[in-house]
Amino acid sequence: MAKSKKSKGKKINLTGVTVGGTLNEGTYAVKVKEAEIKASKSSGEDVLEVQFEVTSKKGKGHILYHVCSLQPQALFKLKQLFIGIGFKFPENKAFELEADDLVGLESTVEVINKEHEGKEYSNIAKFISESEDDDDEDDEEDEEEEDEDEDEDEDEVDYDELSLKELKAECKTRGLKVPKGSDKDDLVELLETDDEE
């Protein structure tokens, strides 16, 4: 029986190779890999094309493209991009945009999948800026504080509304000694004194 030849290995270099296909819809950390101002294929007008690389564990290496028109009526989308990636720009005057200045900036994005000409593509639906993250954290903190306030309110019992039997049970639960012949007022006073202590 002839010996099978061992297959030769081949040197492979994956540097700069990007992962194609679609991502699962959701939130991803991204970084600007490339940015370029160029003429749109469809209109011929100037657009800013930004190439984002996914840096989060899920979807790492995937490339997402985001195009912003540089026409005056569409600059709101460009501003959303700048805010989303933390690019500092002058608010009250015109400035010269160098696309390379965006490279390396990071953001968190919400990705959705859309179909175009029979193919499905992953698209950036929204940039989640740090201020939004902070707002979410503030909202969570506010909710926690509200929950704590509610818990405190629940702990405060109106002893006057309890029956003598319920007051005795409360005293027993706390390990308070109930003097013989105590009436409702005595027990309320005993519990309130314990609360203060």
Side-chain angles (χ1 to χ4, degrees), residues 114-150:
K114 286 184 177 176
E115 198 173 297
H116 179 69
E117 295 179 359
K119 283 187 175 182
E120 196 173 34
Y121 296 91
S122 291
N123 290 277
I124 294 173
K126 181 182 175 187
F127 288 91
I128 302 164
S129 64
E130 282 183 22
S131 60
E132 280 184 57
D133 289 342
D134 293 342
D135 290 345
D136 291 344
E137 283 170 22
D138 291 342
D139 291 344
E140 283 170 21
E141 283 171 18
D142 291 343
E143 282 170 21
E144 282 171 18
E145 282 171 16
E146 282 171 20
D147 291 344
E148 282 170 19
D149 292 343
E150 283 170 19

PDB file of all heavy atoms in Angstrom, residues 114-150:
ATOM      1  N   LYS A 114     -30.614  45.688   6.695  1.00  0.00           N
ATOM      2  CA  LYS A 114     -31.550  46.125   5.649  1.00  0.00           C
ATOM      3  C   LYS A 114     -31.217  45.399   4.355  1.00  0.00           C
ATOM      4  O   LYS A 114     -30.070  45.032   4.117  1.00  0.00           O
ATOM      5  CB  LYS A 114     -31.420  47.632   5.418  1.00  0.00           C
ATOM      6  CG  LYS A 114     -32.016  48.495   6.509  1.00  0.00           C
ATOM      7  CD  LYS A 114     -31.919  49.947   6.110  1.00  0.00           C
ATOM      8  CE  LYS A 114     -32.565  50.856   7.140  1.00  0.00           C
ATOM      9  NZ  LYS A 114     -32.403  52.270   6.803  1.00  0.00           N
ATOM     10  N   GLU A 115     -32.261  45.238   3.528  1.00  0.00           N
ATOM     11  CA  GLU A 115     -32.056  44.589   2.234  1.00  0.00           C
ATOM     12  C   GLU A 115     -31.967  45.643   1.143  1.00  0.00           C
ATOM     13  O   GLU A 115     -32.714  46.618   1.135  1.00  0.00           O
ATOM     14  CB  GLU A 115     -33.219  43.623   1.951  1.00  0.00           C
ATOM     15  CG  GLU A 115     -32.873  42.614   0.876  1.00  0.00           C
ATOM     16  CD  GLU A 115     -33.946  41.554   0.709  1.00  0.00           C
ATOM     17  OE1 GLU A 115     -34.196  40.803   1.662  1.00  0.00           O
ATOM     18  OE2 GLU A 115     -34.535  41.503  -0.383  1.00  0.00           O
ATOM     19  N   HIS A 116     -30.984  45.471   0.251  1.00  0.00           N
ATOM     20  CA  HIS A 116     -30.818  46.390  -0.875  1.00  0.00           C
ATOM     21  C   HIS A 116     -30.431  45.568  -2.097  1.00  0.00           C
ATOM     22  O   HIS A 116     -29.434  44.843  -2.086  1.00  0.00           O
ATOM     23  CB  HIS A 116     -29.734  47.434  -0.555  1.00  0.00           C
ATOM     24  CG  HIS A 116     -29.499  48.402  -1.678  1.00  0.00           C
ATOM     25  ND1 HIS A 116     -30.427  49.350  -2.048  1.00  0.00           N
ATOM     26  CD2 HIS A 116     -28.436  48.560  -2.512  1.00  0.00           C
ATOM     27  CE1 HIS A 116     -29.943  50.047  -3.055  1.00  0.00           C
ATOM     28  NE2 HIS A 116     -28.732  49.593  -3.357  1.00  0.00           N
ATOM     29  N   GLU A 117     -31.261  45.664  -3.137  1.00  0.00           N
ATOM     30  CA  GLU A 117     -31.038  44.929  -4.392  1.00  0.00           C
ATOM     31  C   GLU A 117     -30.807  43.432  -4.140  1.00  0.00           C
ATOM     32  O   GLU A 117     -29.884  42.820  -4.672  1.00  0.00           O
ATOM     33  CB  GLU A 117     -29.850  45.542  -5.163  1.00  0.00           C
ATOM     34  CG  GLU A 117     -30.131  46.961  -5.632  1.00  0.00           C
ATOM     35  CD  GLU A 117     -28.948  47.587  -6.370  1.00  0.00           C
ATOM     36  OE1 GLU A 117     -27.904  46.921  -6.503  1.00  0.00           O
ATOM     37  OE2 GLU A 117     -29.087  48.741  -6.805  1.00  0.00           O
ATOM     38  N   GLY A 118     -31.660  42.873  -3.271  1.00  0.00           N
ATOM     39  CA  GLY A 118     -31.633  41.431  -3.023  1.00  0.00           C
ATOM     40  C   GLY A 118     -30.575  40.957  -2.047  1.00  0.00           C
ATOM     41  O   GLY A 118     -30.515  39.776  -1.714  1.00  0.00           O
ATOM     42  N   LYS A 119     -29.726  41.873  -1.574  1.00  0.00           N
ATOM     43  CA  LYS A 119     -28.695  41.486  -0.602  1.00  0.00           C
ATOM     44  C   LYS A 119     -28.976  42.171   0.732  1.00  0.00           C
ATOM     45  O   LYS A 119     -29.466  43.296   0.764  1.00  0.00           O
ATOM     46  CB  LYS A 119     -27.296  41.901  -1.083  1.00  0.00           C
ATOM     47  CG  LYS A 119     -26.727  41.007  -2.149  1.00  0.00           C
ATOM     48  CD  LYS A 119     -25.281  41.387  -2.428  1.00  0.00           C
ATOM     49  CE  LYS A 119     -24.645  40.414  -3.413  1.00  0.00           C
ATOM     50  NZ  LYS A 119     -23.228  40.747  -3.658  1.00  0.00           N
ATOM     51  N   GLU A 120     -28.623  41.466   1.822  1.00  0.00           N
ATOM     52  CA  GLU A 120     -28.820  42.037   3.155  1.00  0.00           C
ATOM     53  C   GLU A 120     -27.513  42.673   3.627  1.00  0.00           C
ATOM     54  O   GLU A 120     -26.444  42.105   3.474  1.00  0.00           O
ATOM     55  CB  GLU A 120     -29.267  40.948   4.141  1.00  0.00           C
ATOM     56  CG  GLU A 120     -29.858  41.527   5.414  1.00  0.00           C
ATOM     57  CD  GLU A 120     -30.453  40.458   6.318  1.00  0.00           C
ATOM     58  OE1 GLU A 120     -29.922  39.335   6.371  1.00  0.00           O
ATOM     59  OE2 GLU A 120     -31.447  40.765   6.984  1.00  0.00           O
ATOM     60  N   TYR A 121     -27.641  43.884   4.176  1.00  0.00           N
ATOM     61  CA  TYR A 121     -26.484  44.617   4.667  1.00  0.00           C
ATOM     62  C   TYR A 121     -26.724  45.075   6.103  1.00  0.00           C
ATOM     63  O   TYR A 121     -27.841  45.406   6.480  1.00  0.00           O
ATOM     64  CB  TYR A 121     -26.231  45.869   3.804  1.00  0.00           C
ATOM     65  CG  TYR A 121     -25.869  45.572   2.378  1.00  0.00           C
ATOM     66  CD1 TYR A 121     -26.859  45.486   1.394  1.00  0.00           C
ATOM     67  CD2 TYR A 121     -24.543  45.369   2.013  1.00  0.00           C
ATOM     68  CE1 TYR A 121     -26.531  45.211   0.077  1.00  0.00           C
ATOM     69  CE2 TYR A 121     -24.210  45.097   0.688  1.00  0.00           C
ATOM     70  CZ  TYR A 121     -25.200  45.012  -0.271  1.00  0.00           C
ATOM     71  OH  TYR A 121     -24.877  44.734  -1.579  1.00  0.00           O
ATOM     72  N   SER A 122     -25.633  45.099   6.888  1.00  0.00           N
ATOM     73  CA  SER A 122     -25.707  45.654   8.239  1.00  0.00           C
ATOM     74  C   SER A 122     -25.479  47.159   8.157  1.00  0.00           C
ATOM     75  O   SER A 122     -24.543  47.615   7.501  1.00  0.00           O
ATOM     76  CB  SER A 122     -24.643  45.013   9.139  1.00  0.00           C
ATOM     77  OG  SER A 122     -24.962  43.660   9.374  1.00  0.00           O
ATOM     78  N   ASN A 123     -26.356  47.911   8.797  1.00  0.00           N
ATOM     79  CA  ASN A 123     -26.278  49.367   8.767  1.00  0.00           C
ATOM     80  C   ASN A 123     -26.267  49.936  10.175  1.00  0.00           C
ATOM     81  O   ASN A 123     -26.880  49.377  11.084  1.00  0.00           O
ATOM     82  CB  ASN A 123     -27.515  49.952   8.054  1.00  0.00           C
ATOM     83  CG  ASN A 123     -27.505  49.658   6.578  1.00  0.00           C
ATOM     84  OD1 ASN A 123     -26.873  50.360   5.819  1.00  0.00           O
ATOM     85  ND2 ASN A 123     -28.189  48.611   6.178  1.00  0.00           N
ATOM     86  N   ILE A 124     -25.595  51.080  10.330  1.00  0.00           N
ATOM     87  CA  ILE A 124     -25.621  51.793  11.611  1.00  0.00           C
ATOM     88  C   ILE A 124     -26.915  52.591  11.667  1.00  0.00           C
ATOM     89  O   ILE A 124     -27.139  53.497  10.869  1.00  0.00           O
ATOM     90  CB  ILE A 124     -24.388  52.718  11.747  1.00  0.00           C
ATOM     91  CG1 ILE A 124     -23.108  51.875  11.816  1.00  0.00           C
ATOM     92  CG2 ILE A 124     -24.519  53.606  12.982  1.00  0.00           C
ATOM     93  CD1 ILE A 124     -21.818  52.667  11.775  1.00  0.00           C
ATOM     94  N   ALA A 125     -27.767  52.228  12.618  1.00  0.00           N
ATOM     95  CA  ALA A 125     -29.049  52.920  12.756  1.00  0.00           C
ATOM     96  C   ALA A 125     -28.919  54.124  13.678  1.00  0.00           C
ATOM     97  O   ALA A 125     -29.620  55.119  13.531  1.00  0.00           O
ATOM     98  CB  ALA A 125     -30.103  51.968  13.321  1.00  0.00           C
ATOM     99  N   LYS A 126     -27.998  54.030  14.645  1.00  0.00           N
ATOM    100  CA  LYS A 126     -27.908  55.083  15.657  1.00  0.00           C
ATOM    101  C   LYS A 126     -26.549  55.047  16.333  1.00  0.00           C
ATOM    102  O   LYS A 126     -25.993  53.982  16.574  1.00  0.00           O
ATOM    103  CB  LYS A 126     -29.017  54.844  16.690  1.00  0.00           C
ATOM    104  CG  LYS A 126     -29.095  55.841  17.805  1.00  0.00           C
ATOM    105  CD  LYS A 126     -30.199  55.446  18.773  1.00  0.00           C
ATOM    106  CE  LYS A 126     -30.208  56.375  19.970  1.00  0.00           C
ATOM    107  NZ  LYS A 126     -31.137  55.943  20.994  1.00  0.00           N
ATOM    108  N   PHE A 127     -26.022  56.245  16.627  1.00  0.00           N
ATOM    109  CA  PHE A 127     -24.807  56.369  17.437  1.00  0.00           C
ATOM    110  C   PHE A 127     -25.231  56.601  18.874  1.00  0.00           C
ATOM    111  O   PHE A 127     -26.097  57.435  19.144  1.00  0.00           O
ATOM    112  CB  PHE A 127     -23.947  57.541  16.957  1.00  0.00           C
ATOM    113  CG  PHE A 127     -23.285  57.279  15.641  1.00  0.00           C
ATOM    114  CD1 PHE A 127     -23.918  57.631  14.451  1.00  0.00           C
ATOM    115  CD2 PHE A 127     -22.054  56.656  15.581  1.00  0.00           C
ATOM    116  CE1 PHE A 127     -23.324  57.377  13.230  1.00  0.00           C
ATOM    117  CE2 PHE A 127     -21.445  56.390  14.351  1.00  0.00           C
ATOM    118  CZ  PHE A 127     -22.087  56.752  13.176  1.00  0.00           C
ATOM    119  N   ILE A 128     -24.635  55.850  19.776  1.00  0.00           N
ATOM    120  CA  ILE A 128     -24.962  56.011  21.190  1.00  0.00           C
ATOM    121  C   ILE A 128     -23.798  56.761  21.818  1.00  0.00           C
ATOM    122  O   ILE A 128     -22.735  56.200  22.057  1.00  0.00           O
ATOM    123  CB  ILE A 128     -25.184  54.644  21.875  1.00  0.00           C
ATOM    124  CG1 ILE A 128     -26.320  53.905  21.148  1.00  0.00           C
ATOM    125  CG2 ILE A 128     -25.492  54.814  23.345  1.00  0.00           C
ATOM    126  CD1 ILE A 128     -26.396  52.434  21.443  1.00  0.00           C
ATOM    127  N   SER A 129     -23.999  58.069  22.032  1.00  0.00           N
ATOM    128  CA  SER A 129     -22.911  58.901  22.551  1.00  0.00           C
ATOM    129  C   SER A 129     -22.724  58.662  24.039  1.00  0.00           C
ATOM    130  O   SER A 129     -23.593  58.123  24.708  1.00  0.00           O
ATOM    131  CB  SER A 129     -23.220  60.383  22.299  1.00  0.00           C
ATOM    132  OG  SER A 129     -24.369  60.763  23.033  1.00  0.00           O
ATOM    133  N   GLU A 130     -21.570  59.093  24.570  1.00  0.00           N
ATOM    134  CA  GLU A 130     -21.273  58.923  26.001  1.00  0.00           C
ATOM    135  C   GLU A 130     -22.305  59.636  26.849  1.00  0.00           C
ATOM    136  O   GLU A 130     -22.682  59.161  27.900  1.00  0.00           O
ATOM    137  CB  GLU A 130     -19.879  59.474  26.311  1.00  0.00           C
ATOM    138  CG  GLU A 130     -18.765  58.530  25.896  1.00  0.00           C
ATOM    139  CD  GLU A 130     -17.389  59.057  26.267  1.00  0.00           C
ATOM    140  OE1 GLU A 130     -17.295  59.902  27.176  1.00  0.00           O
ATOM    141  OE2 GLU A 130     -16.419  58.616  25.647  1.00  0.00           O
ATOM    142  N   SER A 131     -22.776  60.801  26.398  1.00  0.00           N
ATOM    143  CA  SER A 131     -23.762  61.545  27.193  1.00  0.00           C
ATOM    144  C   SER A 131     -25.051  60.738  27.323  1.00  0.00           C
ATOM    145  O   SER A 131     -25.702  60.763  28.351  1.00  0.00           O
ATOM    146  CB  SER A 131     -24.047  62.905  26.560  1.00  0.00           C
ATOM    147  OG  SER A 131     -24.557  62.754  25.252  1.00  0.00           O
ATOM    148  N   GLU A 132     -25.414  59.982  26.269  1.00  0.00           N
ATOM    149  CA  GLU A 132     -26.609  59.134  26.360  1.00  0.00           C
ATOM    150  C   GLU A 132     -26.391  58.021  27.361  1.00  0.00           C
ATOM    151  O   GLU A 132     -27.266  57.679  28.128  1.00  0.00           O
ATOM    152  CB  GLU A 132     -26.942  58.528  24.992  1.00  0.00           C
ATOM    153  CG  GLU A 132     -27.659  59.465  24.073  1.00  0.00           C
ATOM    154  CD  GLU A 132     -28.050  58.796  22.771  1.00  0.00           C
ATOM    155  OE1 GLU A 132     -28.756  57.784  22.821  1.00  0.00           O
ATOM    156  OE2 GLU A 132     -27.642  59.292  21.717  1.00  0.00           O
ATOM    157  N   ASP A 133     -25.157  57.437  27.337  1.00  0.00           N
ATOM    158  CA  ASP A 133     -24.833  56.398  28.313  1.00  0.00           C
ATOM    159  C   ASP A 133     -24.955  56.953  29.714  1.00  0.00           C
ATOM    160  O   ASP A 133     -25.492  56.317  30.606  1.00  0.00           O
ATOM    161  CB  ASP A 133     -23.401  55.870  28.099  1.00  0.00           C
ATOM    162  CG  ASP A 133     -23.291  55.025  26.829  1.00  0.00           C
ATOM    163  OD1 ASP A 133     -24.343  54.573  26.341  1.00  0.00           O
ATOM    164  OD2 ASP A 133     -22.167  54.828  26.342  1.00  0.00           O
ATOM    165  N   ASP A 134     -24.442  58.201  29.918  1.00  0.00           N
ATOM    166  CA  ASP A 134     -24.518  58.836  31.234  1.00  0.00           C
ATOM    167  C   ASP A 134     -25.957  59.067  31.625  1.00  0.00           C
ATOM    168  O   ASP A 134     -26.346  58.855  32.771  1.00  0.00           O
ATOM    169  CB  ASP A 134     -23.772  60.183  31.236  1.00  0.00           C
ATOM    170  CG  ASP A 134     -22.265  59.996  31.063  1.00  0.00           C
ATOM    171  OD1 ASP A 134     -21.787  58.859  31.278  1.00  0.00           O
ATOM    172  OD2 ASP A 134     -21.576  60.975  30.717  1.00  0.00           O
ATOM    173  N   ASP A 135     -26.793  59.506  30.639  1.00  0.00           N
ATOM    174  CA  ASP A 135     -28.212  59.723  30.918  1.00  0.00           C
ATOM    175  C   ASP A 135     -28.874  58.440  31.355  1.00  0.00           C
ATOM    176  O   ASP A 135     -29.673  58.417  32.280  1.00  0.00           O
ATOM    177  CB  ASP A 135     -28.942  60.278  29.675  1.00  0.00           C
ATOM    178  CG  ASP A 135     -28.533  61.709  29.367  1.00  0.00           C
ATOM    179  OD1 ASP A 135     -27.928  62.350  30.247  1.00  0.00           O
ATOM    180  OD2 ASP A 135     -28.808  62.172  28.243  1.00  0.00           O
ATOM    181  N   ASP A 136     -28.527  57.330  30.666  1.00  0.00           N
ATOM    182  CA  ASP A 136     -29.095  56.032  31.024  1.00  0.00           C
ATOM    183  C   ASP A 136     -28.706  55.653  32.440  1.00  0.00           C
ATOM    184  O   ASP A 136     -29.525  55.175  33.212  1.00  0.00           O
ATOM    185  CB  ASP A 136     -28.609  54.933  30.055  1.00  0.00           C
ATOM    186  CG  ASP A 136     -29.191  55.114  28.666  1.00  0.00           C
ATOM    187  OD1 ASP A 136     -30.174  55.874  28.538  1.00  0.00           O
ATOM    188  OD2 ASP A 136     -28.670  54.512  27.705  1.00  0.00           O
ATOM    189  N   GLU A 137     -27.418  55.908  32.784  1.00  0.00           N
ATOM    190  CA  GLU A 137     -26.957  55.590  34.134  1.00  0.00           C
ATOM    191  C   GLU A 137     -27.683  56.451  35.143  1.00  0.00           C
ATOM    192  O   GLU A 137     -28.091  55.982  36.202  1.00  0.00           O
ATOM    193  CB  GLU A 137     -25.441  55.820  34.244  1.00  0.00           C
ATOM    194  CG  GLU A 137     -24.627  54.704  33.596  1.00  0.00           C
ATOM    195  CD  GLU A 137     -23.153  55.057  33.488  1.00  0.00           C
ATOM    196  OE1 GLU A 137     -22.687  55.938  34.255  1.00  0.00           O
ATOM    197  OE2 GLU A 137     -22.471  54.453  32.640  1.00  0.00           O
ATOM    198  N   ASP A 138     -27.865  57.765  34.812  1.00  0.00           N
ATOM    199  CA  ASP A 138     -28.590  58.659  35.719  1.00  0.00           C
ATOM    200  C   ASP A 138     -30.008  58.183  35.917  1.00  0.00           C
ATOM    201  O   ASP A 138     -30.532  58.201  37.032  1.00  0.00           O
ATOM    202  CB  ASP A 138     -28.609  60.100  35.162  1.00  0.00           C
ATOM    203  CG  ASP A 138     -27.214  60.739  35.186  1.00  0.00           C
ATOM    204  OD1 ASP A 138     -26.343  60.217  35.916  1.00  0.00           O
ATOM    205  OD2 ASP A 138     -27.009  61.750  34.479  1.00  0.00           O
ATOM    206  N   ASP A 139     -30.658  57.748  34.821  1.00  0.00           N
ATOM    207  CA  ASP A 139     -32.025  57.241  34.910  1.00  0.00           C
ATOM    208  C   ASP A 139     -32.084  56.028  35.821  1.00  0.00           C
ATOM    209  O   ASP A 139     -32.992  55.896  36.641  1.00  0.00           O
ATOM    210  CB  ASP A 139     -32.568  56.864  33.519  1.00  0.00           C
ATOM    211  CG  ASP A 139     -32.786  58.092  32.636  1.00  0.00           C
ATOM    212  OD1 ASP A 139     -32.807  59.212  33.197  1.00  0.00           O
ATOM    213  OD2 ASP A 139     -32.926  57.925  31.414  1.00  0.00           O
ATOM    214  N   GLU A 140     -31.090  55.124  35.670  1.00  0.00           N
ATOM    215  CA  GLU A 140     -31.049  53.926  36.507  1.00  0.00           C
ATOM    216  C   GLU A 140     -30.870  54.314  37.970  1.00  0.00           C
ATOM    217  O   GLU A 140     -31.524  53.760  38.849  1.00  0.00           O
ATOM    218  CB  GLU A 140     -29.899  53.012  36.071  1.00  0.00           C
ATOM    219  CG  GLU A 140     -30.216  52.227  34.804  1.00  0.00           C
ATOM    220  CD  GLU A 140     -28.995  51.512  34.251  1.00  0.00           C
ATOM    221  OE1 GLU A 140     -28.036  51.282  35.012  1.00  0.00           O
ATOM    222  OE2 GLU A 140     -29.008  51.193  33.045  1.00  0.00           O
ATOM    223  N   GLU A 141     -29.969  55.309  38.233  1.00  0.00           N
ATOM    224  CA  GLU A 141     -29.749  55.752  39.606  1.00  0.00           C
ATOM    225  C   GLU A 141     -31.015  56.355  40.176  1.00  0.00           C
ATOM    226  O   GLU A 141     -31.366  56.106  41.327  1.00  0.00           O
ATOM    227  CB  GLU A 141     -28.616  56.780  39.651  1.00  0.00           C
ATOM    228  CG  GLU A 141     -27.233  56.134  39.540  1.00  0.00           C
ATOM    229  CD  GLU A 141     -26.131  57.172  39.361  1.00  0.00           C
ATOM    230  OE1 GLU A 141     -26.370  58.357  39.651  1.00  0.00           O
ATOM    231  OE2 GLU A 141     -25.026  56.782  38.931  1.00  0.00           O
ATOM    232  N   ASP A 142     -31.731  57.183  39.360  1.00  0.00           N
ATOM    233  CA  ASP A 142     -32.985  57.789  39.816  1.00  0.00           C
ATOM    234  C   ASP A 142     -33.998  56.716  40.165  1.00  0.00           C
ATOM    235  O   ASP A 142     -34.700  56.810  41.176  1.00  0.00           O
ATOM    236  CB  ASP A 142     -33.570  58.724  38.743  1.00  0.00           C
ATOM    237  CG  ASP A 142     -32.713  59.977  38.547  1.00  0.00           C
ATOM    238  OD1 ASP A 142     -31.886  60.263  39.445  1.00  0.00           O
ATOM    239  OD2 ASP A 142     -32.873  60.643  37.509  1.00  0.00           O
ATOM    240  N   GLU A 143     -34.078  55.674  39.312  1.00  0.00           N
ATOM    241  CA  GLU A 143     -35.015  54.585  39.562  1.00  0.00           C
ATOM    242  C   GLU A 143     -34.663  53.864  40.851  1.00  0.00           C
ATOM    243  O   GLU A 143     -35.540  53.526  41.638  1.00  0.00           O
ATOM    244  CB  GLU A 143     -35.005  53.591  38.393  1.00  0.00           C
ATOM    245  CG  GLU A 143     -35.783  54.089  37.191  1.00  0.00           C
ATOM    246  CD  GLU A 143     -35.583  53.222  35.964  1.00  0.00           C
ATOM    247  OE1 GLU A 143     -35.179  52.052  36.128  1.00  0.00           O
ATOM    248  OE2 GLU A 143     -35.833  53.710  34.856  1.00  0.00           O
ATOM    249  N   GLU A 144     -33.339  53.639  41.075  1.00  0.00           N
ATOM    250  CA  GLU A 144     -32.908  52.964  42.305  1.00  0.00           C
ATOM    251  C   GLU A 144     -33.281  53.794  43.525  1.00  0.00           C
ATOM    252  O   GLU A 144     -33.748  53.260  44.522  1.00  0.00           O
ATOM    253  CB  GLU A 144     -31.384  52.733  42.275  1.00  0.00           C
ATOM    254  CG  GLU A 144     -30.990  51.553  41.401  1.00  0.00           C
ATOM    255  CD  GLU A 144     -29.482  51.464  41.197  1.00  0.00           C
ATOM    256  OE1 GLU A 144     -28.738  52.088  41.995  1.00  0.00           O
ATOM    257  OE2 GLU A 144     -29.062  50.783  40.260  1.00  0.00           O
ATOM    258  N   GLU A 145     -33.069  55.144  43.435  1.00  0.00           N
ATOM    259  CA  GLU A 145     -33.411  56.015  44.551  1.00  0.00           C
ATOM    260  C   GLU A 145     -34.910  55.975  44.821  1.00  0.00           C
ATOM    261  O   GLU A 145     -35.340  55.940  45.966  1.00  0.00           O
ATOM    262  CB  GLU A 145     -32.971  57.460  44.257  1.00  0.00           C
ATOM    263  CG  GLU A 145     -31.474  57.652  44.455  1.00  0.00           C
ATOM    264  CD  GLU A 145     -30.998  59.014  43.959  1.00  0.00           C
ATOM    265  OE1 GLU A 145     -31.851  59.906  43.755  1.00  0.00           O
ATOM    266  OE2 GLU A 145     -29.786  59.176  43.774  1.00  0.00           O
ATOM    267  N   GLU A 146     -35.707  55.976  43.738  1.00  0.00           N
ATOM    268  CA  GLU A 146     -37.156  55.893  43.909  1.00  0.00           C
ATOM    269  C   GLU A 146     -37.544  54.599  44.588  1.00  0.00           C
ATOM    270  O   GLU A 146     -38.394  54.575  45.471  1.00  0.00           O
ATOM    271  CB  GLU A 146     -37.859  55.998  42.545  1.00  0.00           C
ATOM    272  CG  GLU A 146     -37.921  57.426  42.029  1.00  0.00           C
ATOM    273  CD  GLU A 146     -38.416  57.486  40.586  1.00  0.00           C
ATOM    274  OE1 GLU A 146     -39.051  56.512  40.133  1.00  0.00           O
ATOM    275  OE2 GLU A 146     -38.164  58.502  39.926  1.00  0.00           O
ATOM    276  N   ASP A 147     -36.899  53.483  44.152  1.00  0.00           N
ATOM    277  CA  ASP A 147     -37.180  52.183  44.766  1.00  0.00           C
ATOM    278  C   ASP A 147     -36.835  52.196  46.241  1.00  0.00           C
ATOM    279  O   ASP A 147     -37.568  51.667  47.069  1.00  0.00           O
ATOM    280  CB  ASP A 147     -36.386  51.062  44.066  1.00  0.00           C
ATOM    281  CG  ASP A 147     -36.892  50.809  42.649  1.00  0.00           C
ATOM    282  OD1 ASP A 147     -38.014  51.270  42.344  1.00  0.00           O
ATOM    283  OD2 ASP A 147     -36.174  50.166  41.859  1.00  0.00           O
ATOM    284  N   GLU A 148     -35.672  52.842  46.591  1.00  0.00           N
ATOM    285  CA  GLU A 148     -35.267  52.916  47.994  1.00  0.00           C
ATOM    286  C   GLU A 148     -36.285  53.715  48.789  1.00  0.00           C
ATOM    287  O   GLU A 148     -36.647  53.343  49.898  1.00  0.00           O
ATOM    288  CB  GLU A 148     -33.885  53.569  48.109  1.00  0.00           C
ATOM    289  CG  GLU A 148     -32.748  52.616  47.754  1.00  0.00           C
ATOM    290  CD  GLU A 148     -31.407  53.332  47.638  1.00  0.00           C
ATOM    291  OE1 GLU A 148     -31.290  54.462  48.174  1.00  0.00           O
ATOM    292  OE2 GLU A 148     -30.490  52.759  47.026  1.00  0.00           O
ATOM    293  N   ASP A 149     -36.751  54.855  48.198  1.00  0.00           N
ATOM    294  CA  ASP A 149     -37.755  55.670  48.884  1.00  0.00           C
ATOM    295  C   ASP A 149     -39.024  54.874  49.123  1.00  0.00           C
ATOM    296  O   ASP A 149     -39.636  54.956  50.189  1.00  0.00           O
ATOM    297  CB  ASP A 149     -38.097  56.935  48.066  1.00  0.00           C
ATOM    298  CG  ASP A 149     -36.917  57.915  48.018  1.00  0.00           C
ATOM    299  OD1 ASP A 149     -36.005  57.769  48.870  1.00  0.00           O
ATOM    300  OD2 ASP A 149     -36.914  58.789  47.137  1.00  0.00           O
ATOM    301  N   GLU A 150     -39.419  54.088  48.095  1.00  0.00           N
ATOM    302  CA  GLU A 150     -40.621  53.269  48.241  1.00  0.00           C
ATOM    303  C   GLU A 150     -40.441  52.236  49.343  1.00  0.00           C
ATOM    304  O   GLU A 150     -41.332  51.994  50.138  1.00  0.00           O
ATOM    305  CB  GLU A 150     -40.954  52.569  46.913  1.00  0.00           C
ATOM    306  CG  GLU A 150     -41.598  53.504  45.909  1.00  0.00           C
ATOM    307  CD  GLU A 150     -41.714  52.893  44.530  1.00  0.00           C
ATOM    308  OE1 GLU A 150     -41.631  51.650  44.424  1.00  0.00           O
ATOM    309  OE2 GLU A 150     -41.897  53.642  43.568  1.00  0.00           O
TER     310      GLU A 150
END
